[in-house]
Amino acid sequence: MTQVTEHGGGVWSIKVPIPDNPLGHTLVHVLDTDRGPVLVDTGWDDPDAWDTLVAGVAAVGVDVAGIHGVVITHHHPDHHGLSGQVREASGAWIAMHAADTAIVRRTRESEPGTWLSYLAAKLAAVGAPEEHLAPLRAARTGGRMRTLPGLRAALPDREIVPGELLDLAGRRLRAIWTPGHTPGHVCLHLEENHPAGLPGLGRLFSGDHLLPGISPHIGLYEDPDDATVTDPLGDYLDSLERIGRLGVAEVLPAHQYPFTDAAGRVRELLDHHEERLTGLLALLATPLTPWQLAERMEWNRPWEQIPYGSRNIAVSEAEAHVRRLVKLGRAEAVPGSGPVTYVAV
């Protein structure tokens, strides 16, 4: 049974499953063009996901060999994972923003243990306990890195340029750079009248940037060779406001379901992050490491129940919020502290 929804105006979505993930699936969108169908994202690199994608494309009336191109909102494996297989089956081009293409290239070219060594050092610097670091060091020594996603992700062969229309015959699809969830995340604005006549300026393929019921993960932009102190949360909030001003009729996200009132959802997310920053300031009345801060933050379950890998993500998100507070002048690092601690100003 295929999981296909027709959205009108030559647009469909396919629910492509994500293995062992509470999100359940990625909504891969099919956009008809005068040169053949183009996919927006592809889904996780998994046999069941591939079979679902192939069946979904067939339900739209196209053989997978007829796919003309693939536009990737961002490099994460539940979006970019099957791109290489699509290209092998069809000869399709793959387009991605240059910042995320650089991550794909770096991941493919890195020595297998580079990421584990970097992650262990990074976590130690923000106060992770030794019992959390030990499995990373063991995995580094045991050479288990090659099983992680992203090591064989396809290299894109086209660049998505922010502000420009993509080269899609018969369609007006404009790229909007929305960094935050990743450095090169893009939303795609279909600048065409809504097929059901909904008021507003076309439709938006929002990837993970704008979702109806989830606040996407905002962590750090990780590059072992770059010491620049980035501000992903600041980037995300700026990007949200940019999307809120578009006035689109409908949002077609990569997870959950389509929705209207993008501006209202943007306001909810801006308020959510302001409340979270205010809550963190209260916690930082006494100096804390990012790890200690993550332990005390409110998540969707108690810290003791958060799985090992998810704790790494949580600490990254905590540090992203701290960086935002520091940039706003509302918190600062305690001089001479190691692991580094932060305190409210």
Side-chain angles (χ1 to χ4, degrees):
M1 210 180 143
T2 58
Q3 299 288 320
V4 177
T5 301
E6 183 171 2
H7 299 283
V11 177
W12 298 262
S13 61
I14 306 168
K15 288 184 178 179
V16 177
I18 310 171
D20 303 318
N21 189 296
L23 278 174
H25 58 263
T26 302
L27 291 171
V28 172
H29 289 93
V30 184
L31 178 64
D32 194 23
T33 81
D34 290 348
R35 295 196 191 105
V38 167
L39 301 183
V40 178
D41 293 332
T42 59
W44 192 280
D45 183 4
D46 172 80
D48 288 342
W50 172 252
D51 290 345
T52 301
L53 179 63
V54 171
V57 170
V60 170
V62 181
D63 188 277
V64 71
I67 298 296
H68 175 59
V70 177
V71 183
I72 298 298
T73 60
H74 62 295
H75 74 86
H76 286 164
D78 56 322
H79 296 259
H80 181 46
L82 287 172
S83 301
Q85 237 175 303
V86 172
R87 182 163 60 190
E88 289 171 13
S90 64
W93 47 262
I94 302 172
M96 184 184 286
H97 186 282
D100 273 19
T101 296
I103 294 172
V104 174
R105 181 174 289 108
R106 184 174 70 240
T107 303
R108 287 170 58 100
E109 294 174 355
S110 292
E111 287 296 316
T114 300
W115 171 249
L116 290 175
S117 297
Y118 170 74
L119 185 58
K122 185 85 175 93
L123 287 166
V126 297
E130 180 57 37
E131 60 264 26
H132 187 85
L133 301 174
L136 289 171
R137 297 195 178 110
R140 172 73 174 88
T141 304
R144 296 199 296 272
M145 183 67 178
R146 293 192 182 278
T147 62
L148 296 181
L151 289 177
R152 58 179 188 149
L155 270 175
D157 42 65
R158 289 193 183 184
E159 181 179 340
I160 296 176
V161 179
E164 292 192 1
L165 289 171
L166 278 72
D167 182 20
L168 303 182
R171 307 308 299 246
R172 287 185 60 84
L173 188 68
R174 191 176 303 276
I176 303 168
W177 184 33
T178 50
H181 185 56
T182 71
H185 192 292
V186 293
C187 292
L188 301 152
H189 187 193
L190 191 59
E191 298 178 340
E192 301 168 12
N193 291 333
H194 193 281
L198 294 182
L201 303 174
R203 292 177 281 180
L204 185 76
F205 299 104
S206 66
D208 282 359
H209 182 71
L210 191 62
L211 302 170
I214 301 172
S215 176
H217 167 66
I218 308 298
L220 302 181
Y221 300 155
E222 303 287 11
D223 182 350
D225 301 320
D226 188 353
T228 304
V229 179
T230 57
D231 179 20
L233 181 56
D235 292 343
Y236 178 66
L237 298 177
D238 289 345
S239 300
L240 271 180
E241 293 186 346
R242 193 177 311 131
I243 291 301
R245 291 191 293 267
L246 281 179
V248 297
E250 187 179 24
V251 179
L252 301 176
H255 302 288
Q256 297 192 296
Y257 48 85
F259 62 100
T260 57
D261 191 19
R265 181 61 182 145
V266 164
R267 285 192 299 273
E268 290 176 359
L269 287 165
L270 291 173
D271 290 345
H272 162 76
H273 283 286
E274 184 56 39
E275 289 170 10
R276 192 154 217 201
L277 290 170
T278 300
L280 296 193
L281 278 176
L283 291 173
L284 291 174
T286 55
L288 295 173
T289 66
W291 183 274
Q292 292 169 329
L293 190 60
E295 288 179 316
R296 291 159 174 78
M297 287 170 68
E298 186 175 326
W299 305 104
N300 61 1
R301 68 192 97 174
W303 181 258
E304 295 74 25
Q305 296 176 20
I306 295 178
Y308 181 91
S310 297
R311 290 189 179 192
N312 297 336
I313 296 171
V315 173
S316 176
E317 184 146 336
E319 190 172 359
H321 280 73
V322 169
R323 286 190 185 184
R324 185 67 189 149
L325 290 171
V326 170
K327 189 165 184 178
L328 292 171
R330 297 161 75 180
E332 64 184 12
V334 176
S337 59
V340 62
T341 60
Y342 294 88
V343 68
V345 175

